[in-house]
C-alpha cells in the first residue's frame, strides 16, 4: 500500500505535503521497522539468509532482497548500506550469482574478501549474522555479457572473480557455444574463490577452459605474461574481460594492447581496494564536483569550500569554521580530513562540511 | 561582559575543545539508538493523535488526541528537527537525519531556519544589531535599543508572538523592520516570500484543511484539535527559547566587542549569553535539551542528549575561569524573562528607578 505513496503521482505529492519529505513512504519506517525490518521504504531491505565460507578470508553472503528490488544483469554491481556503530556505510560490491538465482529463488549473493583495515568488510565477516537486514541499491555497471556469441577471454585476479562467476554461470546456463577461457590469478590454490562452482562449470560446459595460476606457489612469482596469452587459442578474435587488482589490470591492458586487440573489445570493471588513509599522506588531490561537472586539482591544506570557490562554484556556506553546517553536502567517494578533528573520513558516500574538509587523494562531491 | 585576555581565552578554548573532542570520539551506537527511539516516539504520537482525533466528540479522547499531536509537534520541532538541522546527526550518514535535507513540521522553511538560526543566531549570538533572534525585532530586551512609546505595549506583542510563534519564526527572515527602515527592498525578499507562502500553505493545508476534510462529519472537532496541538507547540517552544537567552543575567554584546574575535571569545560569548533551566527527563526531552542552552551554544553540533552529561564539565570550566554559569529552575528563569519584557517596556528613567528598589 505504501508503494502507492512512491509511485502514484498525486498521492506522492500529497504525501510530500503531509510529511514534509521527498520520500513520504519512509515517514512510517520507524514504526514499520519495529514490526519487521523488511518493511522499510527508505532503501530496499535485504535479509541475510546464509553465509558460506569460500576461502580463509572470503565469504559469500546470500541475501534475500524485498520483492520490489529490480533485479540485475550478470556482471553488474550494487551498493549496499550497513549501519555500523551508528554510522551508515555505503560500499559497492559485485553480485557473484547469476540472475537466474534471483528469478528462481529470490536470492542474490555477494562474495566479499576481508580488506586489511577495511571497516565494512571486516565487520561483515565478524559481526553480520544470518537474519539481519541491510540496504541494497539497484544494480548498475557495464561489465556485461556480449549480446551475440563470440570467443571470450576473462582475466581475473583474487576477489575480482566475483562478477566473472556471475557472467560464466549465466553464459553456461544459456548454453553459450563459442570458446570461453578464464585465466584466474590467485596467491595459492587455497585462495580460489568459488572453486566448486568453477570446477563444476569446467565439468559440464565443454566450451569453457579454466586456467588457475597460483602466483605465489612457484619458486618465483608467476604474474600474467605473454606465455599465458600464447596458450589462449584465437586470442585476437576474443572479446576480453578484466577484473582484479590494479597491477593485474594494467599489465593485462598493456599485453592485450601490444597484441593489437581493439580497446573497444576490452571490458574492465573498476576494482581497487579503498586505500586506508594514512596521517602522513599528502593532502590534496583531484576533486570532482559532480553536479556542476567540474574537476580541479587541489594540493595542500585547502578545504573543499575554498577549492569549490576557486573553481567559480558558489556552494552555500555560513560560519566557515565548522559550526553551522550550512555548507554540509554529500561526498560520494574519496577520503577527506576534517580540519577540526584531524580525523580522516571513510572512503564511501557520506555527509561532510565543506569548510573544514581537506581532500586526501581523489574526492568526488555532490555539488 | 567578562574581560579576559587572549591567553585566558585560548585556555578557555582548549578546555572546551577537550570536552567536545571527548564526546565526538565517543559518538556511536548509543546516540543512533537514542535519536531513532525519539523518532519512533514522534511517529507513534503523530499517528496516534491523528487517528484518535476524529473520535474527539468524546471529550477525554479529544484531550488525549490534541495532547498527543501537540507533543508530537514539540518533539519533532525541538528534539528532532532543530537538532538534526544543526548537523548533530550528520555523522550517522542517514539521509533521513541529514542537516541539509531535513524539513521540519512547522511553518518556517528549513532553509530559512538554517540561515537565520544556525548561521546568524549561533555565530552572532546576542550581538545587538546582528543577532535578530534577540527580541525577534519585536521586543525591546536591553537598553541598547532606544525606547519609544510603542514599547509600552510590548507585553501584548509578546503574547501575540508566543501564540502565533510558528508564523513569527516563519516570517522572521523577511526582516520587516529593515524593510520599514528602507534598508532593504521588499523585492529582494520575493524569493523568501515565495518559499514562506509555499511552506506556510503546506502546513495550514495539512492541519486546517486536509485532515479536517478527510474526516468530514467531525471536521470541526478535528480542526479544533489541530489548532489546539499547534497552539500547545507554539506556547511551549517559544517559552523554552525565551528562557535560553532573555533571562535576567544573559548578557548582550556590541558589534565592536566582537570584531575579529577569536574562537575563545566566541566561546565566552556563548557561555555568558545563554541560560539553562533544570527539570526532569521529560522537560529535557520536550525542550530538545535546550534546557542545556549553554551547552547547546558551546557545542551546537553535538547530539543534544549528550549535554546533560557534558554539563558538569562545562560548569567546572566556568568555575575555573570565573565565568557565571546561568542556571535555575524553569519557573524562576521564566519569571525573569517576563520581568525583563516588562521592565524594558518602560522608559529608561522609570525602569532605573524601578530597578533601584530592592526586589
Amino acid at each position: 500500500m505504501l508503494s502507492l505513496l512512491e509511485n502514484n503521482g498525486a498521492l506522492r505529492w500529497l504525501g510530500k505535503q503531509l510529511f514534509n519529505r521527498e520520500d513520504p513512504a519512509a515517514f512510517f519506517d520507524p514504526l514499520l521497522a519495529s514490526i519487521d525490518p523488511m518493511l522499510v521504504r527508505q532503501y530496499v531491505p535485504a535479509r541475510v539468509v546464509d553465509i558460506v565460507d569460500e576461502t580463509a578470508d572470503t565469504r559469500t553472503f546470500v541475501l534475500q532482497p524485498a520483492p520490489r528490488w529490480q533485479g540485475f544483469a550478470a556482471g553488474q554491481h550494487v551498493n549496499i548500506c550497513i549501519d555500523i556503530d551508528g554510522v551508515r556505510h555505503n560500499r559497492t560490491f559485485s553480485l557473484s550469482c547469476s540472475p537466474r538465482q534471483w528469478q528462481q529463488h529470490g536470492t542474490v549473493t555477494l562474495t566479499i574478501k576481508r580488506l586489511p583495515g577495511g571497516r565494512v568488510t571486516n565487520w561483515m565477516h565478524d559481526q553480520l549474522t544470518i537474519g539481519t537486514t541491510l540496504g541494497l541499491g539497484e544494480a548498475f555497471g557495464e561489465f556485461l555479457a556480449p549480446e551475440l556469441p563470440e570467443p571470450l577471454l576473462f582475466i581475473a585476479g583474487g576477489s575480482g572473480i566475483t562478477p566473472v562467476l556471475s557472467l560464466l554461470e549465466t553464459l553456461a546456463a544459456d548454453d553459450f557455444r563459442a570458446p570461453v577461457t578464464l585465466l584466474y590469478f590467485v596467491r595459492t590454490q587455497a585462495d580460489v574463490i568459488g572453486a566448486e562452482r568453477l570446477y563444476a562449470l569446467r565439468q559440464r560446459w565443454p566450451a569453457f577452459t579454466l586456467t588457475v595460476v597460483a602466483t605465489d606457489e612457484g619458486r618465483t612469482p608467476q604474474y600474467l605474461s605473454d606465455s599465458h596469452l600464447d596458450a589462449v587459442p584465437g586470442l585476437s578474435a576474443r572479446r576480453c574481460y578484466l577484473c582484479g587488482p590494479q597491477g593485474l589490470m594494467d599489465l593485462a591492458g598493456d599485453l592485450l594492447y601490444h597484441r593489437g586487440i581493439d580497446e573497444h573489445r576490452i571490458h574492465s570493471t573498476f576494482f581497487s581496494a579503498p586505500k586506508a588513509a594514512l596521517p602522513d599522506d599528502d593532502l590534496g588531490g583531484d576533486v570532482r564536483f559532480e553536479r556542476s561537472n567540474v574537476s580541479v586539482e587541489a594540493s595542500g591544506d585547502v578545504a573543499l569550500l575554498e577549492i569549490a570557490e576557486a573553481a567559480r562554484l558558489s556552494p552555500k556556506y555560513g560560519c566557515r569554521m565548522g559550526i553551522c553546517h550550512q555548507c554540509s553536502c554529500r561526498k560520494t567517494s574519496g577520503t577527506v580530513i576534517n580540519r577540526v578533528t584531524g580525523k580522516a573520513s571513510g572512503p564511501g558516500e557520506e555527509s561532510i562540511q565543506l569548510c573544514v574538509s581537506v581532500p586526501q587523494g581523489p574526492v568526488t562531491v555532490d555539488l | 561582559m567578562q574581560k579576559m585576555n587572549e591567553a585566558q581565552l585560548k585556555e578557555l578554548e582548549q578546555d572546551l575543545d577537550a570536552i567536545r573532542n571527548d564526546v565526538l570520539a565517543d559518538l556511536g551506537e548509543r546516540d543512533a539508538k537514542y535519536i531513532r527511539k525519539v523518532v519512533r516516539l514522534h511517529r507513534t504520537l503523530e499517528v496516534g493523535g491523528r487517528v484518535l482525533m476524529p473520535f474527539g466528540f468524546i471529550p477525554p479522547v479529544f484531550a488525549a488526541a490534541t495532547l498527543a499531536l501537540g507533543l508530537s509537534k514539540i518533539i519533532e520541532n525541538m528534539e528532532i528537527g532543530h537538532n538534526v538541522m544543526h548537523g548533530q546527526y550528520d555523522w550517522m550518514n542517514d539521509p533521513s537525519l541529514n542537516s541539509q535535507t531535513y524539513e521540519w513540521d512547522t511553518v518556517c522553511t528549513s532553509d530559512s531556519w538554517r540561515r537565520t538560526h544556525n548561521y546568524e543566531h549561533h555565530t552572532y549570538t546576542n550581538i545587538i544589531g546582528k543577532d535578530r533572534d534577540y527580541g525577534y525585532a519585536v521586543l525591546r530586551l536591553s537598553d541598547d535599543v532606544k525606547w519609544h512609546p510603542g514599547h509600552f505595549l510590548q507585553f501584548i506583542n509578546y503574547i501575540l508572538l508566543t501564540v502565533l510563534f510558528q508564523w513569527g519564526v516563519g516570517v522572521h527572515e523577511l526582516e520587516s523592520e529593515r524593510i520599514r527602515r528602507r534598508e532593504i527592498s521588499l523585492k529582494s525578499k520575493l524569493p523568501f516570500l515565495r518559499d514562506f507562502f509555499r511552506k506556510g500553505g503546506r502546513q495550514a493545508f495539512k492541519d486546517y484543511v486536509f485532515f479536517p476534510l478527510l474526516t468530514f462529519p467531525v471536521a470541526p472537532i478535528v480542526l479544533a484539535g489541530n489548532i489546539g496541538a499547534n497552539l500547545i507547540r507554539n506556547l511551549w517552544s517559544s517559552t523554552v527559547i525565551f528562557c535560553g537567552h532573555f533571562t535576567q543575567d544573559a548578557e548582550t554584546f556590541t558589534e565592536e566587542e566582537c570584531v575579529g574575535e577569536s574562537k575563545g571569545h566566541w566561546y565566552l560569548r556563548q557561555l555568558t549569553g545563554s541560560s539553562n533551566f533544570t527539570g526532569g527527563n521529560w522537560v529535557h526531552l520536550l525542550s530538545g535539551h535546550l534546557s542545556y542552552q549553554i551547552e547547546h551554544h558551546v557545542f551546537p553540533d553535538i547530539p543534544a542528549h549528550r549535554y546533560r552529561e557534558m554539563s558538569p564539565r562545562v560548569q567546572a570550566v566556568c568555575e575555573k575561569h570565573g565565568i557565571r554559569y546561568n542556571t535555575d529552575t524553569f519557573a524562576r528563569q521564566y519569571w525573569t524573562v517576563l520581568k525583563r519584557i516588562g521592565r524594558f517596556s518602560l522608559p529608561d528613567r522609570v525602569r532605573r528607578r524601578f530597578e533601584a528598589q530592592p526586589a
Side-chain angles (χ1 to χ4, degrees):
Chain A
M1 188 188 80
L2 279 172
S3 61
L4 278 177
L5 268 184
E6 280 157 5
N7 304 325
N8 178 300
L11 283 178
R12 191 177 140 85
W13 177 86
L14 181 64
K16 284 200 226 174
Q17 312 310 309
L18 299 183
F19 305 122
N20 280 310
R21 53 192 296 156
E22 292 300 306
D23 53 347
F27 176 85
F28 298 98
D29 276 356
L31 298 177
L32 296 174
S34 48
I35 301 168
D36 178 358
M38 288 297 283
L39 295 174
V40 302
R41 309 300 301 192
Q42 187 194 34
Y43 47 79
V44 178
R47 179 169 273 138
V48 180
V49 291
D50 200 6
I51 300 175
V52 184
D53 283 332
E54 294 283 347
T55 69
D57 60 1
T58 304
R59 280 187 175 153
T60 290
F61 298 85
V62 183
L63 306 178
Q64 188 173 44
R68 70 177 189 274
W69 194 64
Q70 305 274 313
F72 69 106
Q76 286 195 307
H77 20 256
V78 285
N79 286 327
I80 61 165
C81 70
I82 286 186
D83 287 344
I84 301 174
D85 202 16
V87 181
R88 183 156 303 170
H89 295 270
N90 298 293
R91 292 290 187 275
T92 308
F93 295 105
S94 294
L95 291 153
S96 57
C97 62
S98 81
R100 255 161 238 254
Q101 184 177 332
W102 159 245
Q103 286 148 10
Q104 290 169 2
H105 306 289
T107 59
V108 296
T109 62
L110 298 175
T111 301
I112 296 172
K113 182 176 171 172
R114 272 182 199 272
L115 291 172
R119 182 174 295 166
V120 173
T121 57
N122 281 295
W123 186 88
M124 289 180 77
H125 275 253
D126 297 334
Q127 310 282 331
L128 190 59
T129 52
I130 292 172
T132 49
T133 58
L134 45 81
L136 191 68
E138 293 304 337
F140 63 100
E142 302 299 320
F143 197 65
L144 303 172
E147 280 167 25
L148 298 169
E150 58 182 313
L152 306 178
L153 168 64
F154 291 93
I155 300 176
S159 58
I161 192 71
T162 51
V164 178
L165 281 171
S166 167
L167 285 164
L168 291 175
E169 286 196 335
T170 307
L171 294 171
D174 290 345
D175 200 15
F176 194 82
R177 297 288 172 89
V180 175
T181 299
L182 165 63
L183 296 178
Y184 183 23
F185 291 82
V186 286
R187 290 230 159 76
T188 69
Q189 291 290 343
D191 293 315
V192 173
I193 295 170
E196 271 175 44
R197 292 161 67 189
L198 287 172
Y199 300 142
L201 280 174
R202 184 162 62 180
Q203 289 290 319
R204 71 177 145 94
W205 184 21
F208 180 53
T209 311
L210 169 66
T211 306
V212 175
V213 182
T215 55
D216 291 5
E217 277 179 357
R219 218 173 303 149
T220 51
Q222 289 200 48
Y223 296 122
L224 174 67
S225 66
D226 273 320
S227 65
H228 294 117
L229 296 181
D230 288 339
V232 179
L235 177 70
S236 54
R238 297 214 181 202
R239 187 175 281 278
C240 302
Y241 291 81
L242 315 179
C243 186
Q246 196 63 48
L248 175 67
M249 307 261 285
D250 291 346
L251 188 56
D254 269 1
L255 291 173
L256 294 172
Y257 173 79
H258 286 301
R259 285 171 179 254
I261 294 186
D262 186 3
E263 63 178 300
H264 297 295
R265 294 176 56 80
I266 303 177
H267 305 264
S268 47
T269 188
F270 186 69
F271 170 85
S272 74
K275 200 163 60 120
L278 301 169
D280 54 353
D281 264 12
D282 284 339
L283 294 173
D286 292 328
V287 179
R288 173 154 179 75
F289 298 105
E290 250 172 339
R291 240 183 305 150
S292 328
N293 201 16
V294 171
S295 295
V296 287
E297 203 179 308
S299 61
D301 182 13
V302 187
L304 282 168
L305 180 59
E306 292 146 43
I307 297 169
E309 287 171 340
R312 294 167 179 257
L313 303 178
S314 40
K316 244 189 337 180
Y317 68 88
C319 66
R320 302 186 80 103
M321 55 201 274
I323 298 169
C324 75
H325 288 256
Q326 275 281 87
C327 64
S328 289
C329 77
R330 307 286 294 169
K331 163 181 77 67
T332 47
S333 72
T335 303
V336 296
I337 306 290
N338 183 315
R339 218 186 242 164
V340 181
T341 61
K343 286 221 181 80
S345 72
E349 182 173 335
E350 62 193 306
S351 180
I352 54 164
Q353 291 169 272
L354 291 177
C355 68
V356 292
S357 293
V358 181
Q360 187 182 44
V363 169
T364 311
V365 182
D366 182 26
L367 188 78
Chain B
M1 154 162 108
Q2 185 105 16
K3 287 285 170 259
M4 287 171 76
N5 63 37
E6 279 305 315
Q8 290 167 320
L9 286 173
K10 187 74 201 163
E11 197 182 332
L12 176 66
E13 177 188 337
Q14 285 162 351
D15 290 345
L16 291 170
D17 279 347
I19 302 175
R20 177 188 168 81
N21 291 337
D22 283 352
V23 176
L24 274 182
D26 187 48
L27 292 182
E29 191 70 31
R30 174 159 75 101
D31 307 270
K33 275 204 172 121
Y34 174 79
I35 192 66
R36 295 225 163 93
K37 191 177 78 185
V38 173
V39 172
R40 201 159 55 236
L41 173 64
H42 162 249
R43 301 296 196 268
T44 310
L45 284 168
E46 168 147 17
V47 172
R50 300 243 184 240
V51 169
L52 279 181
M53 200 67 87
F55 304 96
F57 49 82
I58 310 161
V61 175
F62 180 80
T66 306
L67 189 65
L69 194 57
L71 287 176
S72 101
K73 283 178 184 288
I74 285 171
I75 289 170
E76 196 279 339
N77 289 178
M78 309 292 282
E79 185 70 325
I80 304 172
H82 166 255
N83 291 337
V84 164
M85 281 190 284
H86 265 297
Q88 293 181 1
Y89 299 97
D90 277 359
W91 57 272
M92 283 173 62
N93 199 25
D94 178 343
S96 289
L97 297 171
N98 179 272
S99 63
Q100 297 309 300
T101 53
Y102 193 89
E103 189 63 52
W104 59 346
D105 182 16
T106 183
V107 166
C108 179
T109 67
S110 289
D111 277 333
S112 174
W113 179 260
R114 283 184 281 259
R115 287 189 294 264
T116 58
H117 176 86
N118 289 11
Y119 169 45
E120 288 177 13
H121 170 60
H122 274 269
T123 309
Y124 305 116
T125 313
N126 288 26
I127 300 177
I128 304 300
K130 290 212 83 164
D131 178 9
R132 293 184 56 261
D133 278 24
Y134 202 79
Y136 297 96
V138 176
L139 304 176
R140 176 180 186 257
L141 297 167
S142 81
D143 51 16
D144 300 291
V145 178
K146 203 167 157 347
W147 184 85
H148 67 80
H151 286 132
F152 270 131
L153 298 174
Q154 79 168 355
F155 219 90
I156 296 170
N157 282 342
Y158 165 66
I159 301 287
L160 285 173
L161 179 61
T162 185
V163 167
L164 299 171
F165 194 60
Q166 68 162 339
W167 296 94
V169 172
V171 83
H172 188 47
E173 200 183 1
L174 181 61
E175 303 186 277
S176 59
E177 78 286 0
R178 292 183 64 200
I179 293 175
R180 249 181 284 123
R181 293 201 297 264
R182 293 178 191 279
E183 290 168 15
I184 50 173
S185 68
L186 183 62
K187 208 171 153 200
S188 69
K189 290 291 180 184
L190 287 181
F192 162 77
L193 280 171
R194 195 195 55 216
D195 290 348
F196 165 76
F197 283 116
R198 188 178 294 153
K199 179 80 189 287
R202 177 189 265 196
Q203 290 297 108
F205 164 77
K206 166 169 80 172
D207 280 337
Y208 307 140
V209 179
F210 177 77
F211 281 113
L213 284 184
L214 190 65
T215 51
F216 179 66
V218 288
I221 290 168
V222 172
L223 179 64
N226 289 358
I227 291 174
N230 277 290
L231 181 64
I232 292 171
R233 184 270 319 274
N234 286 352
L235 295 177
W236 171 252
S237 51
S238 63
T239 307
V240 166
I241 288 163
F242 277 43
C243 284
H245 295 292
F246 308 157
T247 53
Q248 176 133 24
D249 298 314
E251 296 192 25
T252 59
F253 314 96
T254 62
E255 284 186 55
E256 296 78 56
E257 281 177 298
C258 306
V259 175
E261 74 177 348
S262 60
K263 182 80 187 276
H265 190 266
W266 179 83
Y267 270 140
L268 175 63
R269 194 148 52 75
Q270 305 306 326
L271 288 170
T272 54
S274 314
S275 49
N276 288 4
F277 55 80
T278 54
N281 285 348
W282 67 272
V283 172
H284 298 307
L285 169 69
L286 295 183
S287 70
H289 289 83
L290 290 187
S291 44
Y292 291 99
Q293 185 80 243
I294 299 173
E295 285 73 12
H296 174 57
H297 262 267
V298 174
F299 311 115
D301 59 358
I302 297 260
H305 75 109
R306 292 278 192 151
Y307 296 154
R308 197 190 309 201
E309 61 198 52
M310 298 171 90
S311 167
R313 291 184 68 185
V314 173
Q315 286 187 56
V317 168
C318 284
E319 204 167 312
K320 173 182 164 192
H321 292 271
I323 299 165
R324 180 176 139 77
Y325 183 90
N326 184 347
T327 185
D328 210 332
T329 62
F330 178 72
R332 269 192 240 136
Q333 293 287 49
Y334 186 49
W335 176 238
T336 70
V337 172
L338 294 179
K339 274 201 299 194
R340 190 167 191 155
I341 296 168
R343 287 207 328 263
F344 284 100
S345 68
L346 303 172
D348 288 342
R349 221 161 18 92
V350 183
R351 176 174 58 86
R352 290 215 187 85
R353 204 177 317 146
F354 182 72
E355 282 172 356
Q357 293 166 4

